[in-house]
Amino acid sequence: MTLPASSEVDAGSMSDAALVRRVLDGDARAFTLLVDRHLQPCLRFATRMLGNRHDAEDVTQEALLRAYRALATYDAAGSFRTWLFAILVNRCRTSLLQRSRYVKRVVTDEDAMRAATAADRAASTELRIEIERAVAVLDPDQREAFLLKHVEQLGYDEMAAVTGAGVSALKMRVKRACERLQELLGEVNDVTS
Amino acid sequence: MTRVLTWCVIVVTLSSVVGRGAGAQAAERPMTAAELPARLAPATRQVIVHLGDSLRAVGLPDAPLYAKAAEGVLKGAPDARILVVLRALARELGDARASLGASAGEAELVAGASALHVGASPAMLRQLRETHVGAAGEATSLATPLVALADLLARRVPAGVAAAAIDSLVARGAPSDDFAALRAAVERDIDAGRAPEASVVQRTQGLLRNIEGRRRTP
Amino acid sequence: MLRHEQDPETAENPAIERVIAELRTPVPVRAEWRAGLARGLATLPPPSAAGPRFVRRWTFRPLTAIAAAVVCAVVGATIATVLLGSGRRSSSAEVLANLTSTMPLPGEHGGQSTVRFVLVAPYASRVSLVGDFNKWNPSAMPMRRSADGRAWLLDVPLPPGRHVYSFVVDGDLAPDPAAPRAGDDDFGVPSSVVLVAGAKT
């Protein structure tokens, strides 16, 4: 029987809970492995939820730093990802509240013409833009539930733990989100067909 | 905290003389198709002009359509999105008139369309109009109550509750200030964490009591 | 660890499946941002098993959360300004930190009321008003700086009805923090609404 040659190999195959234990025991580098495992879904959720990369990066960074500082409060009986997403969802909600103070750069005719001539306006790009727009106009509660359920593939019990909402309310939000998306994208097809 | 600061520092300056003080601007005339932003692709522009013509042909205002297109361009929306929004607006203007009647003015149609856009039903608009005609007659505008309804719906007040609240104020002949007060109070309540439905019910009851009080005290 | 419960109502819907597939596409992780995150983590003290109690507080106490939100708003806006490369003294943060007020004035003129728009933005160098009443043209209605230099003002005669508007502050579009939000933010960027009461038009 061959033992792992290094602590890195060992750590790579460890569960999230074991890595957390290791960080709390003084191996701060083990947190890097946790970040590597969860960075992509966190950044993806924040990007889809907030609709732009800059806000998503800020929120994800903040959530990970907060998770690191609060690591001792994580209960190993539960899923680390559920715990991390609860922090992230909270940060996204705060960011959305600030949308009342949203600032966006004005697009002048000149800017738009420049962008239009430079950009590759492939059909798939148009579709992606429309999907992003449709997701952006969903109610935040519905968008959050839809993304957690269908994009991040959390179960309803996990979603309840992450959002603080009841399972039946979450199912209703997901259902309404689907209906609204269909309606919105149907309108796009009507116009472009 | 921000709200407290907001109300502490808020600048409320009244001037009763038009054109004095803050560099008064002449109001611009309604926008026409010829003034659509240059950024729009020719095909998009053609669709918008066609939509505008269709509205005018049935006696509906087309200026809101062009203004909406200009807003989309300024906000960097792609043409496809702008067309989706404009088609919805055209439909809502038509639905608003169907509900509010042929005598509805442009301000009422625009306000009605905005209420439909955020979740009011045509039946709610019809009901409001009937109540309004019964209480105040055809000559006065229903635009203010319709805008208040749209604002409440935008703040996620359940549609039935919002419509009932506005209807009860319209029935008692509430002045414009009351609708503005309702919007502002509910917005403050919601920001403070109160349930939208409870806020609307309580605030409306308060306004109705005030109306009754004013009637009893000439 | 995770399970995916398919909803019968959505699982077989091709339009929704297409949306889901698109949204599941991985988001690129920028190397500079990843490096910044690592630097941020390196500056923090290692978490101890005892667990600092203050960490729990921010999550659950509304007042602390609001204070954090305000700080984040200002910090976030500063970052946004840097990223947008405006490079001017008038930062978005300054706009965010300041306050505005609009209200319809009582004067009437040819069936129109004059609305005074006010934005407190002492560090802005150029502010204009855009809305459905001026074709959303950023150069149509420049605002005038107040005598004390803190606020920007403009009186605009408007016909009765619902008007949607926003401010343009040194090239940034900013809704009015003191006015109701327009419910129809169709383009993903909020605007504000002013209501001018009046007779039927």
Side-chain angles (χ1 to χ4, degrees), chain B residues 11 58 65 68 76 81-82 95 98 114 118 129 148 155 161 180-181 195 207 212 217:
Chain B
V11 183
V58 294
L65 208 63
K68 196 76 184 166
R81 179 67 204 160
I82 291 174
D95 291 348
S114 69
V118 289
R129 179 180 177 272
R155 293 307 307 248
V161 175
L207 288 165
E212 283 308 308
T217 324

Side-chain angles (χ1 to χ4, degrees), chain C residues 149-163:
Chain C
R150 285 183 50 75
W152 297 77
L153 308 106
L154 190 68
D155 288 346
V156 182
L158 291 177
R162 173 185 190 267
H163 300 281

Side-chain angles (χ1 to χ4, degrees), chain C residues 159-171:
Chain C
R162 173 185 190 267
H163 300 281
V164 181
Y165 70 97
S166 196
F167 295 113
V168 181
V169 184
D170 292 340

Side-chain angles (χ1 to χ4, degrees), chain A residues 36 40 44 48 57 66 70 81 98 100-101 104-106 128 133 149-150 156 158 178 182, chain C residues 2 5 7 10 13 22-25 27 30 34 55 58 69 88 96 171-173 175 181 187:
Chain A
D36 288 341
Q40 176 53 235
R44 178 173 61 186
R48 307 300 187 223
E57 286 180 348
R66 284 179 184 277
R81 180 173 166 173
Q98 293 158 13
S100 60
R101 293 173 175 270
K104 181 184 166 78
R105 195 137 193 94
V106 166
R128 192 163 60 242
R133 292 280 176 193
K149 173 77 189 115
H150 286 301
Y156 278 113
E158 287 168 301
C178 290
Q182 252 184 297
Chain C
L2 301 172
E5 296 165 17
D7 271 342
T10 57
N13 185 319
E22 180 64 40
L23 295 175
R24 278 188 195 162
T25 314
V27 173
R30 290 189 309 115
R34 181 72 180 80
V55 170
W58 68 265
R88 274 172 282 189
L96 297 178
D172 291 332
L173 201 51
R181 268 311 82 83
F187 304 114

Side-chain angles (χ1 to χ4, degrees), chain A residues 92-106:
Chain A
C92 286
R93 287 175 181 175
T94 303
S95 179
L96 283 170
L97 278 176
Q98 293 158 13
R99 285 294 167 92
S100 60
R101 293 173 175 270
Y102 193 95
V103 172
K104 181 184 166 78
R105 195 137 193 94
V106 166

